[in-house]
Amino acid sequence: SYRKEMSDDFYPTRSRFPSIPMIEGAVCPDDEVRIVVIYADDAAGRSKRCLELFEQELADLNEKYGWSLEINEHILLPHQEDRAKQIALFREVSSKYEEGAAVYMDITYGTKITSIGIFSSLVYAEKVKGCTIKGIVYGKYSHDGGETGELYDVRCVYEMNMLIHSLDRGNADALLDAIWE
């Protein structure tokens, strides 16, 4: 059970991490929640510091609602973008999906390749594990110096990809025109 479907209306939570308002808006008190964090093994230690900040914000959310959410799994990635890393990322993320789970994903941070890799694992989650993709959040940083960024549920991108994959090549354009007109 979830409070609501993900939409462009997120809970107005002050956070460095788009997943915090996503969690706040989606979790109900009796839900079984598993949180998997993915971070890079960067030499400067930025990822480790960000992980500590995320843990603190999760603790604040727990205190606010009387929850006991915790990080259940850590995926530590090498700080590189070769084929071996991409395959390892896909396999590692895919191994975390539980049969029939509702999946919420934050693709904001990390390299573009990492975001694409975790995004592509959603096909595995849906097709192999029978998961329901409920929300894919992306946070847009306020580059104008303002204090308020924007959050977007970009699940539509995933849905368009899956729609295209399901269409017959011969009549795909006609079907898409009919759907989007």
Side-chain angles (χ1 to χ4, degrees):
S1 62
Y2 296 89
R3 289 188 198 168
K4 62 179 185 172
E5 288 291 315
M6 292 298 302
S7 70
D8 288 337
D9 298 322
F10 291 93
Y11 278 64
T13 300
R14 186 173 178 83
S15 176
R16 296 173 184 94
F17 304 95
S19 51
I20 294 293
M22 179 177 63
I23 291 168
E24 185 176 15
V27 171
C28 288
D30 296 331
D31 288 341
E32 182 180 323
V33 177
R34 290 186 67 243
I35 298 173
V36 178
V37 295
I38 303 167
Y39 60 104
D41 188 12
D42 62 293
R46 288 184 303 269
S47 293
K48 197 77 157 165
R49 286 192 300 278
C50 286
L51 177 59
E52 291 167 358
L53 292 169
F54 178 78
E55 289 170 335
Q56 182 56 57
E57 289 195 17
L58 187 59
D60 294 344
L61 196 61
N62 282 331
E63 185 176 329
K64 180 177 180 179
Y65 290 103
W67 294 342
S68 57
L69 301 177
E70 61 185 11
I71 296 170
N72 303 94
E73 304 264 358
H74 292 81
I75 298 175
L76 181 62
L77 302 173
H79 197 56
Q80 60 195 42
E81 295 303 340
D82 60 13
R83 186 177 196 278
K85 181 249 180 159
Q86 294 162 21
I87 292 169
L89 169 64
F90 183 86
R91 292 183 71 188
E92 186 74 19
V93 172
S94 294
S95 74
K96 305 305 180 203
Y97 294 117
E98 292 186 3
E99 190 70 37
V103 175
Y104 294 83
M105 180 179 283
D106 180 355
I107 61 168
T108 305
Y109 296 114
T111 64
K112 289 175 178 69
I113 300 301
T114 297
S115 294
I116 292 168
I118 63 174
F119 185 88
S120 68
S121 75
L122 291 170
V123 176
Y124 178 89
E126 184 177 28
K127 295 297 183 186
V128 177
K129 291 295 192 169
C131 296
T132 303
I133 311 308
K134 300 290 270 186
I136 306 167
V137 69
Y138 172 77
K140 178 181 166 190
Y141 180 75
S142 176
H143 290 281
D144 63 0
E147 290 190 20
T148 304
E150 296 178 56
L151 296 180
Y152 301 100
D153 183 0
V154 296
R155 185 179 64 190
C156 178
V157 176
Y158 175 76
E159 292 167 346
M160 287 187 295
N161 181 57
M162 297 306 287
L163 172 65
I164 299 301
H165 183 71
S166 70
L167 295 177
D168 177 47
R169 183 175 175 199
N171 63 355
D173 287 330
L175 285 171
L176 290 174
D177 287 343
I179 290 169
W180 289 327
E181 284 183 358

